[in-house]
Amino acid sequence: MARIVQKFGGTSVGDLARIRNVALRVKAEIDRGNEVAVVVSAMSGVTNQLVDYCTQMAPLHDAREYDAIVATGEQVTSGLLAIALQELGVQARSWAGWQIPIITDDAHSRARIAEIRGAEIIRRMAEGQVAVVAGFQGLGPDNRVTTLGRGGSDTTAVALAAALKADRCDIYTDVDGVYTTDPRIVKSARKLDKITYEEMLEMASLGAKVLQTRSVEMAMKHRVRVQVLSSFSDAPGTLVCDEDEIVEKELVSGIAYSRDEAKVTLVAVSDQPGIAAGIFSPLADANINVDMIVQNTSHDGTTDLTFTCGRADLERALKVVKDNMKIPFKTINTDKSVVKVSVIGVGMRSHAGVAQTMFKALADKGINIQVISTSEIKVSVLIAEEYTELALRALHTAYGLDAS
Ligand code: ADP
Ligand code: ASP
Ligand code: MG
């Protein structure tokens, strides 16, 4: 007997027929003699609709009320799945975040899970009852519902698996695993049998939506065995695991992209001590995440300084820079039509030339690189957004990742 947490994403619970299909998958695990807790997302499109209602009511709205509204999508699907399971003769009960409870901090709309008290669920699982938990939501210290940021049901599932000491956390989605790159863009993308926690963490944080970044952090910390698989097929999925479980390590395991980027260039900043501090301290104080930074060499006593931040933060970032900049500069240029493309692989630690292959593949396609950043296991470049698909395909081929 194993204890399993199964998570079903928005497409997997997209209508009543799909929820019935999910119920059959849950029943199959129960019939194998396993203990099961299930985490569900809202039906696909529902969270977007709810977010849109909030924005239409007021572009800048109270985050507590946003949470009260957007958390409702998951409550509907948890109740519906519980009914579908009962119809199959499986004992099931739905759980909202506050009922377990899933305790979070007070960062409404992007809360972090602090603790899950799973004792009651464990007791009921032992009696054969399936807990159907509403993903994405928790209970804040102000006794109000919180949500965990978009894609947060993945994090609910992994955190619940850790709290219940589950043997496995199965994330069912609309693709049958983690691919070398987004299979919706690159048709020759290959499914990976296994990927290390570290690589998955980079892939997620660099834009691969398949798992929320925090869910991978949580899995890595608590050593939860996460498997990504499809709710629409029985194909084997991808296991996220420790490096030593992977025998054949690829130089590059995956390529990710993020359209959530904006580029800001300060033109002709006077080149003197304190420039970086003068620009980036106020941005940090305003909670704006700066990602890539480049500064040109100085000519005529001035330099151009470029940085990137989240597209949604661009207007705020500009205001902060303009209001706080004490060092003279000529103008500020911005560009929202950029994409960050990253190649990721633990093999890079011990091999030279990975970045070179990237630069050459892009150059061969006439794609200009605007900003570069690297870390131990990844190289990222910022390019014009219109070249996203071309760049992904060229890199996929250049690193020998194409499915044969
Ligand atoms: P869910 O609603 O099940 O949580 P998501 O839409 O959040 O599903 O995540 C699944 C999607 O992630 C896929 O449809 C795919 O387009 C996208 N994706 C991006 N990069 C990858 C990748 N490397 N491997 C698999 N899927 C990816
Ligand atoms: N329903 C939420 C979202 O769309 C959470 C999730 O699906 O993981 O972001
Ligand atoms: Mg998701």
Side-chain angles (χ1 to χ4, degrees), residues 7 9-10 41-42 47-48 74 136 149-154:
K7 179 257 171 178
S41 290
T47 310
N48 285 348
E74 272 71 8
F136 182 51
R150 297 306 304 271
S153 297
D154 296 331

Side-chain angles (χ1 to χ4, degrees), residues 7 9-10 172-175 177-179 181-184 203 208-210:
K7 179 257 171 178
Y172 286 89
T173 181
D174 54 4
V175 284
V178 178
Y179 279 69
T181 191
D182 190 340
R184 297 200 192 284
M203 290 271 276
K209 265 196 340 162
V210 61

